Coordinates of all heavy atoms in Angstrom, one line a residue:
M1 N 64.0 45.5 -22.1 CA 64.9 46.6 -22.3 C 64.2 47.9 -22.9 O 64.5 48.9 -22.4 CB 66.0 46.1 -23.4 CG 67.1 47.1 -23.8 SD 68.3 46.3 -24.7 CE 67.8 46.8 -26.3
F2 N 63.4 47.7 -23.8 CA 62.6 48.8 -24.4 C 61.6 49.3 -23.4 O 61.3 50.5 -23.3 CB 62.1 48.4 -25.7 CG 62.9 48.1 -26.7 CD1 63.1 46.9 -27.3 CD2 63.7 49.2 -27.3 CE1 64.0 46.6 -28.3 CE2 64.5 48.8 -28.4 CZ 64.7 47.6 -28.8
N3 N 61.1 48.4 -22.6 CA 60.0 48.8 -21.6 C 60.6 49.7 -20.6 O 60.0 50.8 -20.1 CB 59.4 47.7 -21.0 CG 58.5 46.9 -22.0 OD1 58.0 47.5 -22.9 ND2 58.2 45.6 -21.6
E4 N 61.8 49.3 -20.1 CA 62.6 50.2 -19.0 C 62.8 51.5 -19.6 O 62.6 52.5 -19.0 CB 63.8 49.5 -18.6 CG 63.6 48.2 -18.0 CD 64.8 47.4 -17.8 OE1 65.9 47.9 -18.1 OE2 64.8 46.3 -17.4
K5 N 63.3 51.6 -20.8 CA 63.6 53.0 -21.5 C 62.4 53.7 -21.7 O 62.3 55.0 -21.3 CB 64.3 52.8 -22.8 CG 65.7 52.4 -22.7 CD 66.3 52.2 -24.1 CE 67.8 51.6 -24.1 NZ 68.4 51.6 -25.4
R6 N 61.3 53.1 -22.1 CA 60.0 53.8 -22.3 C 59.5 54.3 -21.0 O 59.0 55.4 -20.8 CB 59.0 52.9 -23.0 CG 57.8 53.6 -23.5 CD 56.9 52.9 -24.4 NE 57.5 51.6 -24.9 CZ 57.1 50.4 -24.8 NH1 56.2 50.1 -24.0 NH2 57.7 49.4 -25.4
A7 N 59.5 53.4 -19.9 CA 59.0 53.9 -18.6 C 59.8 55.0 -18.1 O 59.3 55.9 -17.4 CB 59.0 52.6 -17.6
E8 N 61.2 55.0 -18.3 CA 61.9 56.0 -17.6 C 61.7 57.4 -18.5 O 61.6 58.4 -17.9 CB 63.5 55.6 -17.9 CG 64.4 56.7 -17.3 CD 65.9 56.3 -17.4 OE1 66.1 55.1 -17.6 OE2 66.6 57.1 -17.5
K9 N 61.6 57.3 -19.7 CA 61.2 58.4 -20.5 C 59.8 58.9 -20.2 O 59.7 60.2 -20.0 CB 61.2 58.1 -22.0 CG 61.1 59.2 -22.9 CD 61.0 58.7 -24.4 CE 62.2 59.1 -25.2 NZ 61.9 58.7 -26.7
R10 N 58.8 58.2 -19.9 CA 57.5 58.6 -19.5 C 57.5 59.2 -18.0 O 57.0 60.3 -17.9 CB 56.7 57.3 -19.5 CG 55.1 57.7 -19.2 CD 54.3 56.5 -19.2 NE 54.9 55.3 -18.7 CZ 54.6 54.1 -18.8 NH1 53.7 53.8 -19.6 NH2 55.2 53.1 -18.3
R11 N 58.3 58.7 -17.1 CA 58.4 59.3 -16.0 C 59.1 60.7 -16.0 O 58.6 61.5 -15.3 CB 59.3 58.3 -14.9 CG 58.4 57.4 -14.2 CD 59.2 56.6 -13.2 NE 59.3 55.3 -13.8 CZ 60.5 54.7 -13.9 NH1 61.6 55.3 -13.7 NH2 60.5 53.5 -14.5
K12 N 60.0 60.8 -16.8 CA 60.8 62.0 -17.0 C 59.8 63.1 -17.4 O 59.8 64.3 -17.1 CB 62.0 61.9 -17.9 CG 62.9 63.1 -18.0 CD 64.1 62.7 -18.8 CE 65.0 64.0 -18.9 NZ 66.2 63.7 -19.7
K13 N 59.0 62.7 -18.5 CA 58.1 63.6 -19.1 C 57.0 64.0 -18.1 O 56.5 65.2 -18.1 CB 57.5 63.0 -20.4 CG 58.4 63.1 -21.5 CD 57.6 62.6 -22.8 CE 58.4 62.6 -24.0 NZ 57.7 62.2 -25.2
K14 N 56.5 63.1 -17.3 CA 55.5 63.4 -16.3 C 56.1 64.5 -15.3 O 55.4 65.3 -14.8 CB 55.1 62.1 -15.6 CG 54.1 61.4 -16.3 CD 53.5 60.2 -15.5 CE 52.4 59.5 -16.2 NZ 51.9 58.3 -15.4
Q15 N 57.3 64.3 -14.9 CA 57.9 65.1 -13.9 C 58.1 66.5 -14.5 O 57.9 67.5 -13.9 CB 59.3 64.6 -13.5 CG 59.1 63.3 -12.6 CD 60.5 62.8 -12.2 OE1 61.5 63.2 -12.7 NE2 60.5 61.8 -11.4
E16 N 58.3 66.6 -15.8 CA 58.5 67.8 -16.5 C 57.2 68.5 -16.8 O 57.2 69.6 -17.2 CB 59.4 67.7 -17.7 CG 60.9 67.4 -17.3 CD 61.7 67.1 -18.6 OE1 61.1 67.2 -19.7 OE2 62.9 66.9 -18.4
G17 N 56.2 67.7 -16.8 CA 54.8 68.1 -17.2 C 54.6 68.1 -18.6 O 53.7 68.8 -19.1
M18 N 55.2 67.3 -19.5 CA 55.2 67.3 -20.9 C 54.5 66.0 -21.4 O 54.6 65.7 -22.5 CB 56.5 67.4 -21.4 CG 57.2 68.7 -21.2 SD 58.9 68.7 -21.8 CE 58.8 68.1 -23.4
Y19 N 53.8 65.2 -20.5 CA 53.2 64.1 -20.9 C 51.9 64.3 -21.5 O 50.9 64.8 -20.9 CB 53.0 63.1 -19.8 CG 52.6 61.7 -20.1 CD1 53.6 60.8 -20.6 CD2 51.3 61.2 -19.9 CE1 53.1 59.5 -20.9 CE2 51.0 59.9 -20.2 CZ 51.9 59.0 -20.7 OH 51.6 57.8 -21.0
G20 N 51.7 64.2 -22.9 CA 50.5 64.6 -23.7 C 49.7 63.4 -24.1 O 50.0 62.3 -23.9
I21 N 48.6 63.8 -24.9 CA 47.7 62.7 -25.4 C 48.5 61.8 -26.5 O 48.3 60.6 -26.4 CB 46.6 63.3 -26.1 CG1 45.5 62.3 -26.5 CG2 46.9 64.1 -27.3 CD1 44.8 61.7 -25.4
W22 N 49.5 62.4 -27.3 CA 50.1 61.4 -28.2 C 51.2 60.6 -27.4 O 51.3 59.3 -28.0 CB 50.9 62.4 -29.2 CG 49.9 63.1 -30.1 CD1 49.7 64.4 -30.1 CD2 49.0 62.5 -31.0 NE1 48.7 64.6 -31.0 CE2 48.3 63.5 -31.5 CE3 48.7 61.2 -31.4 CZ2 47.2 63.3 -32.5 CZ3 47.7 60.8 -32.3 CH2 47.0 62.0 -32.9
D23 N 51.6 60.9 -26.3 CA 52.5 60.0 -25.6 C 51.5 58.8 -25.0 O 52.1 57.7 -25.0 CB 53.1 60.8 -24.3 CG 54.1 61.8 -24.9 OD1 54.8 61.6 -25.9 OD2 54.1 62.9 -24.3
F24 N 50.5 59.2 -24.6 CA 49.4 58.2 -24.1 C 49.1 57.2 -25.2 O 49.1 55.9 -25.0 CB 48.2 58.7 -23.4 CG 47.1 57.8 -23.1 CD1 47.3 57.1 -22.0 CD2 46.0 57.7 -23.9 CE1 46.4 56.1 -21.6 CE2 45.2 56.8 -23.5 CZ 45.3 55.9 -22.4
V25 N 48.8 57.7 -26.4 CA 48.5 56.9 -27.5 C 49.6 55.9 -27.9 O 49.4 54.8 -28.2 CB 48.0 57.8 -28.7 CG1 47.8 56.9 -30.0 CG2 46.7 58.4 -28.4
S26 N 50.9 56.4 -28.0 CA 52.0 55.7 -28.3 C 52.2 54.6 -27.2 O 52.6 53.4 -27.6 CB 53.2 56.4 -28.4 OG 53.6 57.1 -27.2
D27 N 52.0 54.9 -26.0 CA 52.2 53.9 -24.9 C 51.2 52.8 -25.1 O 51.4 51.7 -24.8 CB 51.9 54.7 -23.4 CG 53.3 55.4 -23.1 OD1 54.3 55.2 -23.8 OD2 53.1 56.2 -22.1
V28 N 49.9 53.1 -25.4 CA 48.9 52.1 -25.6 C 49.2 51.2 -26.8 O 49.0 49.9 -26.7 CB 47.5 52.8 -25.8 CG1 46.4 51.8 -26.1 CG2 47.0 53.5 -24.4
L29 N 49.6 51.9 -27.9 CA 49.8 51.1 -29.1 C 51.1 50.2 -28.8 O 51.2 49.1 -29.5 CB 50.2 52.0 -30.3 CG 48.9 52.7 -30.8 CD1 49.4 53.7 -31.9 CD2 47.9 51.8 -31.4
F30 N 52.1 50.6 -28.0 CA 53.1 49.6 -27.8 C 52.8 48.5 -26.9 O 53.5 47.5 -26.8 CB 54.4 50.5 -27.2 CG 55.2 51.1 -28.3 CD1 55.3 52.5 -28.3 CD2 55.9 50.4 -29.2 CE1 55.9 53.1 -29.3 CE2 56.7 51.1 -30.2 CZ 56.6 52.4 -30.2
S31 N 51.8 48.8 -25.9 CA 51.5 47.8 -24.9 C 50.5 46.7 -25.5 O 50.4 45.6 -24.9 CB 50.9 48.4 -23.7 OG 49.8 49.1 -24.0
I32 N 49.8 47.0 -26.6 CA 48.9 46.0 -27.2 C 49.5 44.7 -27.5 O 49.0 43.6 -27.1 CB 48.0 46.7 -28.3 CG1 47.1 47.7 -27.7 CG2 47.3 45.5 -29.1 CD1 46.3 48.5 -28.8
P33 N 50.7 44.7 -28.3 CA 51.3 43.4 -28.6 C 51.6 42.6 -27.5 O 51.6 41.4 -27.3 CB 52.5 43.8 -29.5 CG 52.1 45.2 -30.1 CD 51.3 45.8 -29.0
E34 N 52.2 43.3 -26.4 CA 52.6 42.7 -25.2 C 51.4 41.9 -24.5 O 51.5 40.9 -24.0 CB 53.3 43.6 -24.2 CG 54.6 44.1 -24.7 CD 55.4 44.9 -23.7 OE1 55.1 44.7 -22.6 OE2 56.1 45.8 -24.2
L35 N 50.3 42.6 -24.5 CA 49.1 42.1 -23.9 C 48.5 40.8 -24.7 O 48.0 39.9 -24.1 CB 48.1 43.1 -23.7 CG 48.3 44.2 -22.7 CD1 47.3 45.3 -22.7 CD2 48.4 43.6 -21.3
I36 N 48.7 40.9 -26.0 CA 48.3 39.8 -26.9 C 49.2 38.5 -26.7 O 48.5 37.4 -26.5 CB 48.2 40.1 -28.3 CG1 47.1 41.3 -28.4 CG2 48.0 39.1 -29.2 CD1 47.1 41.9 -29.8
F37 N 50.4 38.8 -26.5 CA 51.3 37.6 -26.4 C 51.6 37.1 -25.0 O 52.1 36.1 -24.9 CB 52.7 38.0 -27.0 CG 52.6 38.1 -28.6 CD1 52.9 39.3 -29.1 CD2 52.3 37.1 -29.4 CE1 52.8 39.4 -30.5 CE2 52.1 37.1 -30.7 CZ 52.5 38.3 -31.3
L38 N 51.0 37.9 -24.0 CA 51.2 37.5 -22.6 C 50.7 36.1 -22.3 O 51.4 35.2 -21.7 CB 50.7 38.5 -21.7 CG 50.9 38.2 -20.2 CD1 52.4 38.2 -19.8 CD2 50.1 39.3 -19.3
P39 N 49.4 35.8 -22.7 CA 48.9 34.4 -22.3 C 49.7 33.3 -23.0 O 49.9 32.3 -22.3 CB 47.5 34.4 -22.9 CG 47.1 35.9 -23.0 CD 48.4 36.6 -23.4
F40 N 50.2 33.5 -24.2 CA 51.0 32.5 -24.9 C 52.2 32.3 -24.2 O 52.7 31.1 -24.1 CB 51.1 32.8 -26.4 CG 49.9 32.9 -27.2 CD1 49.4 34.2 -27.6 CD2 49.1 31.8 -27.3 CE1 48.3 34.2 -28.3 CE2 47.8 31.8 -28.0 CZ 47.4 33.1 -28.5
R41 N 52.8 33.4 -23.8 CA 54.1 33.3 -23.0 C 54.0 32.6 -21.7 O 54.7 31.7 -21.3 CB 54.7 34.6 -22.8 CG 56.0 35.0 -23.4 CD 56.6 36.3 -22.9 NE 56.0 37.2 -23.8 CZ 55.8 38.6 -23.5 NH1 56.4 39.0 -22.4 NH2 55.2 39.4 -24.3
L42 N 52.8 32.9 -21.0 CA 52.5 32.2 -19.7 C 52.4 30.7 -19.9 O 52.8 29.8 -19.1 CB 51.4 32.8 -19.0 CG 51.7 34.2 -18.5 CD1 50.4 34.8 -17.9 CD2 52.7 34.3 -17.4
L43 N 51.6 30.3 -21.0 CA 51.4 28.9 -21.3 C 52.7 28.1 -21.6 O 52.8 27.0 -21.1 CB 50.3 28.8 -22.4 CG 48.8 29.1 -22.1 CD1 48.1 29.0 -23.3 CD2 48.2 28.0 -21.1
F44 N 53.5 28.8 -22.3 CA 54.7 28.2 -22.8 C 55.6 28.0 -21.5 O 56.2 26.8 -21.3 CB 55.5 29.2 -23.7 CG 56.9 28.7 -24.0 CD1 57.1 27.6 -24.8 CD2 58.0 29.4 -23.5 CE1 58.4 27.1 -25.1 CE2 59.2 28.8 -23.9 CZ 59.4 27.8 -24.5
L45 N 55.6 29.0 -20.7 CA 56.4 28.8 -19.4 C 55.8 27.6 -18.4 O 56.6 27.0 -17.9 CB 56.5 30.1 -18.6 CG 57.3 31.2 -19.3 CD1 57.2 32.5 -18.6 CD2 58.8 30.8 -19.5
L46 N 54.5 27.6 -18.4 CA 53.9 26.6 -17.6 C 54.1 25.2 -18.1 O 54.5 24.3 -17.4 CB 52.4 26.9 -17.5 CG 51.6 25.8 -16.8 CD1 51.9 25.8 -15.3 CD2 50.1 26.1 -16.9
F47 N 54.1 25.0 -19.4 CA 54.3 23.8 -20.2 C 55.7 23.4 -19.9 O 56.1 22.3 -19.7 CB 54.0 23.9 -21.6 CG 54.4 22.7 -22.4 CD1 53.6 21.6 -22.4 CD2 55.4 22.6 -23.2 CE1 53.9 20.5 -23.1 CE2 55.8 21.5 -24.0 CZ 55.1 20.4 -23.8
R48 N 56.7 24.3 -20.0 CA 58.1 24.0 -19.8 C 58.5 23.7 -18.4 O 59.2 22.7 -18.2 CB 58.9 25.3 -20.2 CG 60.5 25.0 -20.4 CD 61.2 26.2 -20.9 NE 61.4 27.1 -20.0 CZ 62.0 28.3 -20.0 NH1 62.5 28.6 -21.3 NH2 62.2 29.1 -19.0
F49 N 57.8 24.4 -17.5 CA 57.9 23.9 -16.1 C 57.4 22.5 -15.8 O 58.1 21.8 -15.0 CB 57.2 25.0 -15.2 CG 57.1 24.5 -13.8 CD1 58.3 24.7 -13.0 CD2 55.9 24.0 -13.2 CE1 58.2 24.2 -11.7 CE2 55.9 23.6 -11.9 CZ 57.0 23.8 -11.1
L50 N 56.3 22.3 -16.3 CA 55.7 20.9 -16.1 C 56.5 19.8 -16.8 O 56.8 18.8 -16.2 CB 54.3 20.9 -16.7 CG 53.3 21.6 -15.9 CD1 51.8 21.6 -16.7 CD2 53.1 21.2 -14.6
V51 N 57.1 20.1 -17.9 CA 57.9 19.1 -18.6 C 59.3 18.9 -17.8 O 59.6 17.7 -17.6 CB 58.2 19.4 -20.0 CG1 59.4 18.5 -20.7 CG2 56.9 19.3 -20.8
R52 N 59.8 20.0 -17.4 CA 61.1 19.9 -16.6 C 60.8 19.2 -15.3 O 61.7 18.3 -14.9 CB 61.6 21.2 -16.4 CG 62.3 21.7 -17.7 CD 63.0 23.0 -17.2 NE 63.8 23.6 -18.5 CZ 64.5 24.6 -18.4 NH1 64.7 25.3 -17.3 NH2 65.1 24.9 -19.6
S53 N 59.8 19.4 -14.6 CA 59.5 18.9 -13.2 C 59.1 17.3 -13.6 O 59.5 16.5 -12.6 CB 58.4 19.5 -12.6 OG 57.2 19.5 -13.2
A54 N 58.5 17.0 -14.6 CA 58.3 15.5 -14.8 C 59.5 14.8 -15.2 O 59.8 13.7 -14.6 CB 57.3 15.5 -16.0
F55 N 60.5 15.3 -15.8 CA 61.7 14.7 -16.1 C 62.6 14.7 -14.9 O 63.4 13.7 -14.8 CB 62.4 15.3 -17.4 CG 61.9 14.9 -18.6 CD1 61.3 15.9 -19.6 CD2 61.7 13.6 -19.1 CE1 60.8 15.6 -20.7 CE2 61.2 13.3 -20.3 CZ 60.7 14.2 -21.1
D56 N 62.5 15.7 -14.1 CA 63.4 15.6 -12.8 C 62.9 14.7 -11.9 O 63.6 14.2 -11.0 CB 63.4 17.1 -12.3 CG 64.2 18.1 -13.1 OD1 65.0 17.6 -13.9 OD2 64.0 19.3 -12.8
S57 N 61.6 14.3 -11.9 CA 61.1 13.4 -10.9 C 61.5 12.0 -11.3 O 61.5 11.0 -10.4 CB 59.6 13.5 -10.9 OG 59.0 13.0 -12.1
F58 N 61.9 11.6 -12.4 CA 62.3 10.3 -12.8 C 63.6 10.1 -12.5 O 64.7 10.1 -12.8 CB 62.0 10.0 -14.2 CG 60.6 9.9 -14.5 CD1 59.9 10.7 -15.4 CD2 59.8 8.9 -13.9 CE1 58.6 10.6 -15.7 CE2 58.4 8.8 -14.1 CZ 57.8 9.6 -15.1

């Protein structure tokens, strides 16, 4: 939800030519937590998929 709004805002600023260094810094700071938690989210989804497929096979 927040990513879509941020991406839309960024595109609008780029089209208007107002995308500056502070916008870039804020985008990087907002994306760091997502990059940190991405591997854990992927492992959780993989584990959940394996458990569900194991129980569905019995």
Side-chain angles (χ1 to χ4, degrees):
M1 182 167 97
F2 293 109
N3 289 337
E4 295 169 4
K5 288 182 182 180
R6 192 174 335 122
E8 184 178 333
K9 191 185 243 186
R10 183 176 41 198
R11 272 186 252 120
K12 188 176 180 182
K13 283 186 177 183
K14 278 186 178 182
Q15 289 174 353
E16 293 174 357
M18 295 174 47
Y19 191 78
I21 186 72
W22 293 112
D23 296 320
F24 174 74
V25 170
S26 66
D27 285 343
V28 169
L29 288 177
F30 278 114
S31 63
I32 287 174
E34 292 184 28
L35 292 175
I36 291 172
F37 291 117
L38 180 66
F40 298 112
R41 238 184 281 158
L42 290 175
L43 285 174
F44 173 72
L45 290 173
L46 178 65
F47 177 73
R48 193 170 78 176
F49 170 75
L50 292 174
V51 168
R52 284 188 179 186
S53 62
F55 283 123
D56 286 343
S57 64
F58 291 117

